[in-house]
Amino acid sequence: MAIAALSSCGDENGAKVVFTTGMGQDEVFRIGSGVCTVPEMMVYLTNTQNQYESVYGQEVWNISVGGVTMEENVKDTVLAKLAQIKTMYLLAQDRGVALDEAEAGRVQQAAAEYFGSLSRREAELMGVEEKTIEKLYEEYALADKVYRYIIQDVNPEISDDEARTITVQHILLRTSTVDGAGNRVDYSEERRQEAYRSAAEIRRQAVQEEQDFVDLATRYSEDDVISCSFGKGEMDIAFEEAAFALETGEVSQVVETESGYEIIKCLSTFDREQTDLNKLQIVEERRREVFGQEYDAFVETLARQLNEKVWEEIALLRDEEVETTGFFDVYAKYFPD
């Protein structure tokens, strides 16, 4: 969302797009009145780089997918993250949201701790001073705060039925395949009818002969997964409607879905713990939607520009003495959720 706002060159919705002119040699991008400098970018990029290397090793940078190197991918991810935070900082100012005295004090403490953790070599190569870190933490804290401010009154009532999770077993007989190019190829009508007859026979064995459903699935299903738990809106609509209509232990009729013919057995129609967790997830999703609407509308009012020359010159630091990974951890220490 944020990276698109920076790189956009269209103006379909009244967005003010400014091309790269008159930018300082230390400026990576501007969005509205906000500016991201090279040292700020290097803090995020270097911490992200070292986090990747701590998990995957330095060899991770040799990976390329679809002609895009891992370094390019990480650079774009960091650019998007910083653009979003800068935008949310401006949104906070627009909404009159500010840090209180205690929060400002924690920003200073966090900046002092993180900057104090840097070696002289690390600070030099990233080009940072303590005030650089303080500014980044201030923007991060305000981005968090404006999100909470905008969603503070979003508390929808979620019913048990809306959040309900069920657990089922299923047997799938497919009605299509995939060719060498990865394209879906539907079966002929004759072959589809054959698949349906097979599905009906398997259901008969499960219901009338009371054969073990897992055993039938192991023998006949063309899906590696036999059991699954899900809530509403997560599955093929025909599969979901049939599954949610079942009682515990009941077996469905043969159900036609996008994947093929399904026979479904319900193991559990309600899980209290999972339902309560789903309610929390649904509420958070509704809150993100509300915030996203305000965020998107605000982005469209901002002029933005990317300094392509500076951006192309930014690269990962290849220096054994640069090991810093604590920027985000220090922030979380002073601003826990």
Side-chain angles (χ1 to χ4, degrees), residues 53 84 156 331:
E53 290 181 5
Q84 185 179 49
Y331 177 83

Side-chain angles (χ1 to χ4, degrees), residues 10-259:
D11 188 9
E12 297 179 359
N13 299 305
K16 302 174 183 176
V17 181
V18 181
F19 294 97
T20 312
T21 56
M23 294 185 72
Q25 61 181 3
D26 202 33
E27 295 180 0
V28 181
F29 66 81
R30 293 179 185 174
I31 186 160
S33 60
V35 175
C36 176
T37 64
V38 171
E40 291 174 335
M41 179 64 67
M42 292 308 299
V43 170
Y44 273 68
L45 184 61
T46 303
N47 275 267
T48 304
Q49 172 190 349
N50 289 333
Q51 288 175 343
Y52 268 72
E53 290 181 5
S54 68
V55 176
Y56 304 108
Q58 295 184 357
E59 297 77 13
V60 68
W61 309 117
N62 299 326
I63 296 174
S64 179
V65 179
V68 179
T69 67
M70 184 60 72
E71 178 171 353
E72 292 170 329
N73 181 278
V74 169
K75 278 184 61 179
D76 285 344
T77 299
V78 169
L79 175 64
K81 178 70 172 177
L82 262 169
Q84 185 179 49
I85 290 170
K86 295 281 185 181
T87 302
M88 291 171 71
Y89 176 76
L90 294 175
L91 181 59
Q93 294 179 318
D94 185 74
R95 298 294 189 271
V97 177
L99 299 181
D100 59 31
E101 186 175 344
E103 291 165 336
R106 297 208 302 273
V107 163
Q108 293 177 341
Q109 290 176 310
E113 179 172 331
Y114 177 70
F115 186 75
S117 73
L118 298 176
S119 67
R120 181 177 298 179
R121 179 72 171 165
E122 288 172 330
E124 177 185 343
L125 289 178
M126 290 192 293
V128 298
E129 300 175 354
E130 187 170 336
K131 65 182 180 181
T132 311
I133 307 303
E134 188 173 327
K135 180 170 181 285
L136 288 174
Y137 280 152
E138 178 190 4
E139 292 173 343
Y140 208 150
L142 266 176
D144 278 344
K145 192 167 184 176
V146 75
Y147 175 79
R148 299 176 195 280
Y149 171 79
I150 288 174
I151 59 98
Q152 63 184 335
D153 294 326
V154 182
N155 292 296
E157 288 292 330
I158 309 299
S159 68
D160 281 350
D161 185 62
E162 184 178 359
R164 181 161 63 105
T165 292
I166 63 173
T167 301
V168 304
Q169 295 168 338
H170 78 120
I171 298 169
L172 168 65
L173 298 185
R174 298 190 182 278
T175 53
S176 65
T177 187
V178 177
D179 64 19
N183 300 312
R184 173 180 168 133
V185 179
D186 290 328
Y187 287 174
S188 66
E189 184 59 31
E190 181 180 355
R191 194 172 176 186
R192 289 174 65 89
Q193 291 178 3
E194 181 182 343
Y196 178 81
R197 287 194 294 270
S198 296
E201 172 59 21
I202 293 169
R203 181 187 182 276
R204 188 192 66 78
Q205 293 176 37
V207 176
Q208 296 182 15
E209 297 183 8
E210 298 184 349
Q211 293 192 31
D212 183 78
F213 198 88
V214 172
D215 181 57
L216 290 170
T218 301
R219 283 190 283 152
Y220 298 116
S221 183
E222 296 174 356
D223 189 347
D224 294 335
V225 176
I226 295 176
S227 298
C228 58
S229 298
F230 58 93
K232 291 186 175 180
E234 297 179 23
M235 303 291 281
D236 175 281
I237 186 63
F239 186 99
E240 179 183 304
E241 288 179 352
F244 271 88
L246 297 174
E247 298 295 334
T248 299
E250 187 178 2
V251 176
S252 72
Q253 298 292 328
V254 176
V255 180
E256 185 174 4
T257 71
E258 285 293 316
S259 299

